[in-house]
Amino acid sequence: MQQLKGKSSYKLLREYRRLRKAFWGRHLWARRYFCASTGNVTDEAVMLYIEQQEESGRDEDGFTVEGESA
């Protein structure tokens, strides 16, 4: 996971000037990651959940993505 996050961070920061400015001197990715199995949940149910999260633009902790409206 560390290699994936490191390589993707390097590539994103090289390609997007806005990210380079916003994350200068800081980490792009958090040190942790989360992985889970969906068990018997269908792909459609997972996609619906993700779409609903994107529509709200906010999670339970009040986290919002900069530049997105709720």
Side-chain angles (χ1 to χ4, degrees), residues 14-68:
R14 283 187 67 217
E15 291 185 17
Y16 298 97
R17 180 179 291 242
R18 190 179 92 207
L19 287 177
R20 224 178 9 236
K21 287 182 180 181
F23 289 97
W24 184 83
R26 298 181 0 210
H27 295 285
L28 180 63
W29 301 118
R31 296 182 65 139
R32 299 182 206 136
Y33 66 94
F34 176 78
C35 180
S37 170
T38 58
N40 292 330
V41 178
T42 65
D43 291 345
E44 291 79 17
V46 172
M47 292 305 297
L48 178 62
Y49 174 79
I50 293 170
E51 289 169 6
Q52 289 172 344
Q53 297 303 304
E54 290 172 349
E55 288 171 8
S56 70
R58 181 179 295 269
D59 69 8
E60 305 88 44
D61 297 330
F63 175 80
T64 58
V65 177
E66 185 177 325
E68 289 188 9

